[in-house]
Amino acid sequence: MSLSPSQFRPGLASLANTWRRVGVLAALILLVIAASFLSDRFLTLPNLLNVLRQVAIVGILAIGMTFVILTRGIDLSVGSILGISVVLYAGFLQDHGMAVAIPLGLAAAMLAGLVNGIGVAFAGIPPFIMTLGMLSFARGLAFIYTGGTPIPILNESFYDLGNDYLLGVPIPSLILLALLAVSAVVLSLTAFGRSLYAIGSNEEAARLSGVPVKLYTTLVYVISGAVSGLAGLVYASQLSIGTPIAGQGYELDAIAAVVVGGTSLFGGRGSVAGTFLGTLIIGVLANILNLTGVDPFVQQLFKGALIVVAVYIMSRSDR
């Protein structure tokens, strides 16, 4: 006996709801167990710390992306905003020092997020179009500023942020964990955080209940921009160079981490804790494929398949 579409859909919805509750953590545990059998180097402390370091930049971006997606938005410009902040850090570090370069890079990233927010909330431009435009605009600015030539970073004290350890843990990983903790508190314990879920579930109902929808929608894009600037800070410190192509494609990795972590692309459901687990799943998958010698081009197939399956399950549950 074959199932009708209406019978098939509840099954997927149940699967998606289960995935949101325990599936992400269970998937990560199963992946870690499988990885430990596939490579005896996986469960070593240096390798696990390396995984934490490698996922830090995408994890930071994904937390900002979670705020946006919870309101039923999307931010395709996070990679380019990271890129413009990276070249500004590099360009101003040499002559003006960190006291000027870091605030300037973060301010530029927040300004780009503010433009995105105003365009979406007040001009009514669809988030996909607005942030796609910013993706191209910010990348263009990075190329114009550098002339297409990477800017070396010679300030050695700046390297510590992306490469040093604190209490045995990579500093980029600690930055990610600190951002995760703050974001979790904001989303779960503040009126602003609860309002974001309300906006994503039903924007009109949220507006009628007194939520300043346009202001909060603008703020989530400012947060996403600020977080992209923070990720750019880690990127510039790790690579010691300000290249205009920094962050290319990172927007897709960030969206993948959010979706794999159980946040609905249709807004109103999800958490930064899930996003963190989704980031770890993608990071562990990439790590074990590297350890087992899988071709980098083939690795893209695994990542693509994982994203498609996660998005399919989530999208069916939201219909």
Side-chain angles (χ1 to χ4, degrees), residues 20-264:
R20 286 195 178 95
R21 287 196 300 270
V22 297
V24 184
L25 180 59
L28 178 60
I29 292 173
L30 289 174
L31 191 59
V32 168
I33 293 172
S36 65
F37 283 103
L38 290 172
S39 173
D40 55 5
R41 289 182 292 166
F42 176 76
L43 281 182
T44 59
L45 183 59
N47 184 61
L48 294 178
L49 291 177
N50 185 47
V51 172
L52 276 178
R53 181 199 298 276
Q54 288 181 339
V55 303
I57 293 176
V58 170
I60 292 170
L61 290 174
I63 287 177
M65 185 71 73
T66 304
F67 278 77
V68 176
I69 291 180
L70 282 175
T71 62
R72 201 176 290 207
I74 196 78
D75 189 350
L76 299 178
S77 64
V78 294
S80 293
I81 294 177
L82 181 152
I84 189 67
S85 67
V86 164
V87 298
L88 288 174
Y89 294 137
F92 280 82
L93 264 173
Q94 196 61 28
D95 296 328
H96 303 282
M98 287 191 285
V100 172
I102 293 176
L104 183 67
L106 288 174
M110 293 175 67
L111 178 61
L114 177 63
V115 172
N116 277 337
I118 291 175
V120 172
F122 291 94
I125 301 173
F128 179 86
I129 301 299
M130 185 66 220
T131 58
L132 185 63
M134 181 57 73
L135 179 154
S136 179
F137 188 82
R139 187 67 66 192
L141 285 179
F143 273 100
I144 291 170
Y145 179 73
T146 61
T149 304
I151 303 173
I153 297 174
L154 305 177
N155 189 330
E156 294 186 1
S157 58
F158 184 68
Y159 301 164
D160 295 343
L161 185 68
N163 299 286
D164 210 346
Y165 291 76
L166 181 64
L167 302 176
V169 181
I171 290 178
S173 306
L174 294 176
I175 293 174
L176 170 60
L177 293 174
L179 181 64
L180 171 67
V182 171
S183 300
V185 169
V186 169
L187 285 177
S188 59
L189 299 179
T190 69
F192 170 70
R194 291 190 291 272
S195 297
L196 299 187
Y197 286 94
I199 293 171
S201 298
N202 189 322
E203 183 176 317
E204 183 61 17
R207 187 184 66 80
L208 292 174
S209 64
V211 174
V213 173
K214 290 185 178 180
L215 174 61
Y216 284 3
T217 300
T218 302
L219 283 178
V220 296
Y221 286 94
V222 174
I223 291 171
S224 181
V227 166
S228 301
L230 180 61
L233 192 60
V234 176
Y235 183 102
S237 178
Q238 283 186 339
L239 274 68
S240 309
I241 194 166
T243 170
I245 62 170
Q248 272 189 340
Y250 279 24
E251 57 277 353
L252 299 181
D253 290 338
I255 294 170
V258 175
V259 173
V260 171
T263 295
S264 170

